[in-house]
Amino acid sequence: MKPIAFARAETVDQALAAVTARPNTVFLAGGTTLVDMLRIGAMEPDNVVDINRLPLTDLEHRPDGGLRIGAMVRMSEVAADPGVVERFPFLSIALAKGASAQIRNMASMGGNLMQRVRCPQFRDIAYACNKRVPGSGCGAQEGLHRGNAVLGTSEHCFAMHPSDMAVPLTALDAVVQVQGPRGTRAIAFDDFFLLPGDTPHLEHPITADELIVRIDVPPLPFARNSHYLKVRDRESYEFAAASAAVALELTDGAVRDVRIGLGGVATKPWRAKMAEALLIGKPATKENFAAAAATELAAADGSHEMNRFKIELAQRTMVRTLETVTAQITQRGGRK
């Protein structure tokens, strides 16, 4: 590993000044991903700025029912917060299933959004990777790709986005607030993660001199009726083969409103907008759930043998999660 300069920031302004003054700088939050990247040579910054002391640790329940999460709040804190458990249960579940207890206690909410992909070819510098070295090729096309994506893919990259917590956040229409030398700006959650297209090395619209300062979650009363289902090869400390985050509102047995996010199967946290549109106004039945799921996955990329199974798995995961939330509502007598 090459020599790397290190600095520690006490304020947001200090952090921004450090990254502005020295190109090729990265921020160190929990470090649960960055340290791995440095060790294996998948990232080679000249400078690391420790931001763990920044005052971005507030977890605030807003009067309107929304949620404001500081970028440095730890995943474990949000997962265990009583208000989150009550009003956004699928977010609490996703955070709890997202990593080991040790990692959840270290990893920050902002850092989780910036984590790098888990594609084996990205993490092994012996292989070509357009995300790591633009224009070098995609070693996953002919290499190990069982964990890769089937939605949002391109010929240049089909690495799967690994975050669990980002799946319910995309369903919630969260907003990422970033700060830089030009001020603060808000980025809609669905716009915060870029599809690979011809430029897979560009993963986010933020610039190198900008920092995530918080995540805003707008109010969604029916998010109380929600669930996150994660399907994986083993129950503990494993990334999703497929996952679904569902919030559901029913009226007289029909879908009044629904939010669906998919994980483990796409190059970004995937909002299942086609499935949502098809379900609204329809009876909450397994047949309608299956039809909506099939429509959402109709454009999935099945050209790679090892991960083709994810197309059907994603559909089954979505249907099962919708059924689970429907049953929860029914058991409560239809109460919102």
Side-chain angles (χ1 to χ4, degrees), residues 68-132:
R68 179 166 289 177
I69 309 170
M72 293 306 300
V73 178
R74 305 300 169 176
M75 289 172 55
S76 57
E77 181 181 349
V78 182
D81 181 84
V84 174
V85 172
E86 178 186 358
R87 297 194 289 119
F88 304 100
F90 62 167
L91 177 57
S92 175
I93 296 169
L95 284 162
K97 290 182 176 293
S100 67
Q102 295 91 334
I103 289 178
R104 294 196 305 270
N105 287 334
M106 291 181 61
S108 67
M109 295 293 288
N112 184 282
L113 300 186
M114 298 298 292
Q115 68 178 297
R116 307 304 302 274
V117 297
R118 302 284 166 168
C119 177
Q121 283 72 28
F122 171 76
R123 290 174 172 255
D124 188 339
I125 60 175
Y127 288 89
C129 176
N130 288 317
K131 190 176 285 291
R132 191 181 64 247

Side-chain angles (χ1 to χ4, degrees), residues 46-307:
D46 296 322
N47 189 34
V48 171
V49 177
D50 184 347
I51 58 173
N52 278 282
R53 297 184 182 181
L54 299 191
L56 303 174
T57 57
D58 290 338
L59 176 58
E60 179 184 358
H61 291 273
R62 307 291 292 168
D64 63 358
L67 188 64
R68 179 166 289 177
I69 309 170
M72 293 306 300
V73 178
R74 305 300 169 176
M75 289 172 55
S76 57
E77 181 181 349
V78 182
D81 181 84
V84 174
V85 172
E86 178 186 358
R87 297 194 289 119
F88 304 100
F90 62 167
L91 177 57
S92 175
I93 296 169
L95 284 162
K97 290 182 176 293
S100 67
Q102 295 91 334
I103 289 178
R104 294 196 305 270
N105 287 334
M106 291 181 61
S108 67
M109 295 293 288
N112 184 282
L113 300 186
M114 298 298 292
Q115 68 178 297
R116 307 304 302 274
V117 297
R118 302 284 166 168
C119 177
Q121 283 72 28
F122 171 76
R123 290 174 172 255
D124 188 339
I125 60 175
Y127 288 89
C129 176
N130 288 317
K131 190 176 285 291
R132 191 181 64 247
V133 182
S136 63
C138 176
Q141 296 289 349
E142 302 298 331
L144 182 65
H145 56 256
R146 183 178 182 274
N148 285 36
V150 296
L151 291 170
T153 64
S154 81
E155 62 179 314
H156 303 288
C157 182
F158 63 116
M160 179 268 291
H161 191 274
S163 175
D164 285 283
M165 77 166 199
V167 181
L169 286 176
T170 198
L172 285 165
D173 285 328
V175 176
V176 181
Q177 301 286 345
V178 302
Q179 186 172 331
R182 295 161 296 282
T184 302
R185 63 189 179 110
I187 305 173
F189 205 79
D190 199 40
D191 296 330
F192 185 77
F193 301 93
L194 304 179
L195 293 173
D198 296 333
T199 55
H201 62 289
L202 301 177
E203 298 180 343
H204 308 282
I206 64 175
T207 57
D209 58 357
E210 289 183 311
L211 174 69
I212 299 173
V213 292
R214 71 171 187 269
I215 303 164
D216 288 332
V217 179
L220 188 70
F222 70 88
R224 295 174 183 269
N225 304 323
S226 67
H227 185 64
Y228 179 74
L229 175 62
K230 181 177 183 178
V231 180
R232 47 188 167 174
D233 291 331
R234 59 182 182 183
E235 182 60 25
S236 176
Y237 193 49
E238 184 63 274
F239 295 96
S243 67
V246 168
L248 187 63
E249 183 177 22
L250 301 181
T251 299
D252 297 327
V255 178
R256 181 175 181 180
D257 207 346
V258 62
R259 300 286 183 87
I260 305 171
L262 295 177
V265 295
T267 55
K268 61 182 285 185
W270 193 262
R271 180 72 177 272
K273 294 179 181 179
M274 288 187 289
E276 291 176 356
L278 282 172
L279 285 172
I280 291 177
K282 301 282 183 62
T285 65
K286 183 175 183 177
E287 293 74 20
N288 287 335
F289 295 159
T295 299
E296 189 66 46
L297 273 295
D301 178 6
S303 63
H304 300 97
E305 181 180 2
M306 292 182 192
N307 72 340

